[in-house]
Every structure is written in structure tokens, then in C-alpha cells.
């Protein structure tokens, strides 16, 4: 009975089935502008509460139901519990930051007070009812994405879990700070990498491009100078070689050494001593070897998902920015959507609390 009452209070059903589509939310359902501190923070507080409601409801699911819910043969419940505990702390910090400039907002001092607040959903005006229903669906799907990743630890590593204190995910940033990161390139001359870099330059922004060894070697053979000019004021780092895999550390070291030599062949461009393991799969033995830091992400745009339009990608990223309020955003310059989405994203958030971090100074964090 307590379980049913709590679910009714939270407004969630826990009826999420596995194999759900990637989470996205139609942001046109939110009738207010995000282009101000009060507007962004108001939307942020409600997204945080909706995700927290789903997180709380997930605690009521019996452990033996999780394999079926997540579509996995087995799950690591300790990893799921760790993700939940870590998320409550992050949500508390995000909600406190979103409420700092609000006189009439409830002030919560710790996780327990925040949990009590989440159990009392606010009464929303009619104009927000459509958004509220879709937001709940978004956060249910997004939580499932996260738990599916967490449940496979430590068998499969991912961006969900840092293995050493030296790894960066984006949660190390200050409230409102976001770093743009791109992987999969470089593409052919005047390809999607060039279009993405041009979109950044036109907005006066930059990002970190994690370069894959094989396409980088091909571009260097034709014209290193043209490649350097393409990246302009951006930064470059390593995404390894195609054979880079933590399962074979000796070959991994050889591949990463090769990728570093290729990076050093690019003239002029700011090079960062960072490595992003392909698909976020790493091993603790990688820490500090060849590259100073492993850099992951905490906001995945899912821009390579074929079923998502550019508009849906933009809506997903915006919603996750409102939720976490800081982070490293993962894009792919090997696909076309980043160059399409970014100009509109910059414009929509230009007078909000969002601050796009200059990749050339990020290493100071």
C-alpha cells in the first residue's frame, strides 16, 4: 500500500518497458522562454524534480525485476545503488543552484529534505500540463538509459563510472558551465567536421575534437596545414586508434602512442593531453599513461541516433542541460546534426545562465 501511495504522489507508474526509444522531449510544450536567468532556472527546477521523482520511484522496484525491465541477463544492484546515491547528491546541488535567486522557492539543505520535497509535487497551471506529462515520460526513459549503463558495471565500463579520481566527466565544472566535445572525425576536407567547426566559429565558440587515428592519418597525408586551419580556435585530443581496446592493454598502449604521434603532426592547433576511450570503455590501468587525463562526458546528445531528428537532438540536449546544469556534452563531428543544432542552441541560451567553456582554459579546472 505504501508503494502505491508513493507512486500516486510522485505521478509515476514504473511501467517502463525495456527497448524504449532514446529519450527526447518536445520543448515547444514548455511555454516560457529559457533566455533569462529566472526563466532557465524555473524550467530547471521542474525538470530536476521530475527526474528525482522517477529516481525515487525506481527504488521501489524489487531487485529481481530489473533484468527484465532493462533487457539484461543480469544486473549489478550495487552499481545501481551507487548511481542512485550519486545522483541524489548531484540533483540536490543542481536544485539548490537553480533556487539560489528565487525568493519564493523551497530551500532544501540536504538529500532528505530534497526527497521530502520531491514527494510533494507542485500544483502546475493548465498551460504546463502537456509539458508535465511528456517530461515525466522523458525522465523515465532517460533514467532507464542511465540504469542500463550502470547495471552492467563492472563487466562493461562506460561514461557512467569513473575508475580513478583523475577522470573527468563534466560534473567537475561550476554551475552553468558546459564544454562542447566532438568525436568520430576528422571527416574528409569540407565535410561535417569543417561544417561543425564553422558553426562554432560563427558563434564565437569552440570545443574539444577527439580525433580518431585512422581518419586523422588520412587527412595528414593530404594537407596538415588545411586540417589545422579547419580546427582553427578549437582544441584537439585523442579518441584512439580503431583497435584501441582496454581488453588488450599492450595493444592499447601501442595504439594510443600512435594516436599521440599523429596529433603532434598537426601544426599550430591547441593540443590537449587528453584521451577519450572509444564508447567510454576504459580500464584503471589507463590512468596517466601516454595522456594525462581520460575525459568522458555526462550529457550524451545521441546525435548519431538515426531515429532522432536534429530538432529532437536539440530538445534532448537542452533538457539535460536544464537537469544537470553543468557538464561535458558529447557530439559527433562525423555526423551532420551537430552543425545543424548548435547555432540554434547558442541563440536560445545566449542570455541564460549557460556559459560555454573555452576549451583552451578548461584544463585549469
Amino acid at each position: 500500500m505504501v508503494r502505491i501511495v508513493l507512486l500516486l504522489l510522485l505521478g509515476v507508474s514504473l511501467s517502463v518497458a525495456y527497448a524504449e526509444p532514446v529519450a527526447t522531449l518536445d520543448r515547444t510544450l514548455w511555454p516560457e522562454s529559457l533566455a533569462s536567468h529566472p526563466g532557465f532556472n524555473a524550467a530547471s527546477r521542474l525538470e530536476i524534480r521530475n527526474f528525482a521523482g522517477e529516481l525515487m520511484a525506481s527504488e521501489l522496484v524489487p531487485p529481481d525485476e530489473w533484468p527484465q525491465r532493462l533487457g539484461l541477463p543480469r544486473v549489478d544492484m550495487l552499481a545501481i545503488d551507487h548511481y542512485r546515491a550519486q545522483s541524489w547528491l548531484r540533483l540536490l546541488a543542481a536544485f539548490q543552484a537553480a533556487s539560489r535567486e528565487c525568493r519564493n522557492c523551497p530551500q532544501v539543505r540536504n538529500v532528505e529534505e530534497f526527497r521530502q520535497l520531491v514527494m510533494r509535487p507542485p500544483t502546475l497551471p493548465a498551460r504546463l500540463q502537456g509539458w508535465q506529462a511528456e517530461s515525466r515520460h522523458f525522465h523515465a526513459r532517460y533514467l532507464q538509459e542511465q540504469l542500463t549503463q550502470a547495471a552492467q558495471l563492472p563487466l562493461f565500463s562506460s561514461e557512467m563510472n569513473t575508475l580513478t579520481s583523475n577522470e573527468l566527466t563534466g560534473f567537475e565544472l561550476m554551475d552553468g558551465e558546459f564544454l562542447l566535445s566532438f568525436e568520430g572525425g576528422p571527416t574528409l576536407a569540407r565535410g561535417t567536421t569543417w561544417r561543425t567547426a564553422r558553426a562554432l566559429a560563427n558563434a564565437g565558440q569552440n570545443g574539444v575534437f577527439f580525433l580518431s587515428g585512422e581518419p586523422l592519418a588520412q587527412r595528414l597525408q593530404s594537407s596538415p596545414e588545411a586540417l589545422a586551419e579547419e580546427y582553427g580556435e578549437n582544441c584537439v585530443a585523442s579518441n584512439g586508434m580503431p583497435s584501441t581496446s582496454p581488453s588488450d592493454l599492450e595493444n592499447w598502449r601501442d595504439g594510443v602512442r600512435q594516436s599521440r604521434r599523429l596529433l603532434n603532426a598537426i601544426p599550430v592547433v591547441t593540443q590537449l593531453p587528453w584521451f577519450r576511450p572509444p564508447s567510454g570503455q576504459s580500464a584503471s590501468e589507463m590512468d596517466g599513461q601516454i595522456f594525462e587525463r581520460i575525459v568522458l562526458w555526462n550529457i550524451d546528445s545521441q546525435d548519431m541516433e538515426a531515429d532522432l531528428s536534429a530538432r529532437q537532438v536539440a530538445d534532448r540536449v537542452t533538457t539535460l542541460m536544464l537537469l544537470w546544469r553543468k557538464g561535458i556534452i558529447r557530439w559527433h563531428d562525423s555526423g551532420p546534426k551537430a552543425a545543424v543544432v548548435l547555432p540554434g542552441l547558442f541563440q536560445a541560451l545566449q542570455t541564460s545562465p549557460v556559459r560555454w567553456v573555452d576549451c583552451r582554459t578548461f584544463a585549469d579546472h
Side-chain angles (χ1 to χ4, degrees):
M1 177 62 68
V2 173
R3 180 175 185 265
I4 295 173
V5 170
L6 181 57
L7 292 176
L8 290 174
L9 284 172
L10 294 173
V12 297
S13 65
L14 285 182
S15 60
V16 181
Y18 65 85
E20 287 279 350
V22 171
T24 189
L25 169 63
D26 181 0
R27 295 239 44 104
T28 62
L29 294 172
W30 180 258
E32 312 293 340
S33 172
L34 302 178
S36 70
H37 283 238
F40 186 94
N41 290 335
S44 178
R45 288 191 296 272
L46 289 177
E47 297 293 358
I48 291 167
R49 291 178 71 157
N50 279 351
F51 181 76
E54 297 297 332
L55 187 66
M56 183 177 289
S58 76
E59 297 169 356
L60 304 176
V61 177
D64 59 0
E65 288 187 17
W66 280 112
Q68 182 179 8
R69 284 180 171 275
L70 300 179
L72 299 172
R74 61 176 296 276
V75 301
D76 187 322
M77 288 306 301
L78 288 177
I80 285 181
D81 290 342
H82 175 74
Y83 170 78
R84 288 197 192 108
Q86 192 175 53
S87 294
W88 278 114
L89 292 172
R90 289 168 174 167
L91 292 168
L92 170 64
F95 189 82
Q96 289 173 331
S99 305
R100 196 169 292 130
E101 300 175 1
C102 177
R103 292 184 179 181
N104 299 320
C105 291
Q107 301 300 313
V108 290
R109 295 168 294 180
N110 51 52
V111 169
E112 184 54 39
E113 289 184 0
F114 181 52
R115 289 174 64 93
Q116 291 299 318
L117 179 67
V118 171
M119 292 178 64
R120 303 190 301 272
T123 301
L124 298 177
R127 71 180 190 281
L128 296 181
Q129 295 301 321
W131 162 83
Q132 175 73 334
E134 290 304 311
S135 176
R136 286 172 176 166
H137 289 310
F138 172 90
H139 290 295
R141 292 196 298 270
Y142 176 65
L143 177 61
Q144 185 166 325
E145 290 177 23
Q146 301 295 94
L147 292 180
T148 300
Q149 293 270 46
Q152 298 179 79
L153 296 170
L155 185 60
F156 295 103
S157 63
S158 69
E159 78 280 6
M160 290 294 300
N161 188 39
T162 55
L163 301 178
T164 74
S165 60
N166 202 36
E167 297 178 40
L168 298 177
T169 64
F171 284 118
E172 305 81 6
L173 289 168
M174 301 294 289
D175 180 66
E177 291 186 337
F178 295 90
L179 175 73
L180 299 167
S181 71
F182 307 87
E183 58 186 78
T187 58
L188 298 176
R190 295 277 171 164
T192 55
T193 294
W194 175 79
R195 288 194 287 274
T196 301
R198 190 176 182 184
L200 291 169
N202 289 341
Q205 305 294 343
N206 63 29
V208 185
F209 286 77
F210 290 90
L211 310 187
S212 298
E214 190 172 294
L216 174 57
Q218 294 174 351
R219 288 294 304 274
L220 287 171
Q221 287 179 354
S222 57
S223 177
E225 292 75 16
L227 183 60
E229 183 179 355
E230 190 167 296
Y231 285 118
E233 299 300 314
N234 296 288
C235 305
V236 295
S238 174
N239 202 194
M241 302 296 291
S243 59
T244 299
S245 171
S247 62
D248 186 344
L249 279 174
E250 193 54 45
N251 286 336
W252 173 84
R253 290 187 186 96
D254 291 341
V256 176
R257 288 191 186 98
Q258 183 181 357
S259 73
R260 180 153 198 171
R261 288 193 294 270
L262 291 169
L263 280 179
N264 290 337
I266 307 175
V268 184
V269 175
T270 300
Q271 296 179 24
L272 300 180
W274 295 349
F275 173 65
R276 171 170 289 175
S279 302
Q281 295 187 11
S282 60
S284 58
E285 293 85 351
M286 293 180 176
D287 183 41
Q289 296 198 37
I290 306 167
F291 289 99
E292 290 181 9
R293 275 192 158 175
I294 291 176
V295 179
L296 302 171
W297 61 88
N298 64 330
I299 296 178
D300 194 339
S301 70
Q302 294 286 353
D303 58 334
M304 296 299 283
E305 182 67 35
D307 293 336
L308 293 188
S309 67
R311 179 70 262 169
Q312 289 174 312
V313 169
D315 288 346
R316 174 187 169 91
V317 170
T318 302
T319 304
L320 294 179
M321 291 174 70
L322 290 164
L323 173 63
W324 297 122
R325 297 184 61 88
K326 63 175 70 173
I328 300 174
I329 306 176
R330 181 199 194 196
W331 303 88
H332 293 79
D333 59 305
S334 53
K337 292 174 187 172
V340 175
V341 169
L342 286 169
L345 194 65
F346 292 143
Q347 183 176 5
L349 300 175
Q350 62 182 343
T351 52
S352 75
V354 168
R355 301 184 302 282
W356 303 105
V357 176
D358 188 325
C359 66
R360 296 164 297 184
T361 60
F362 180 73
D364 295 334
H365 285 76

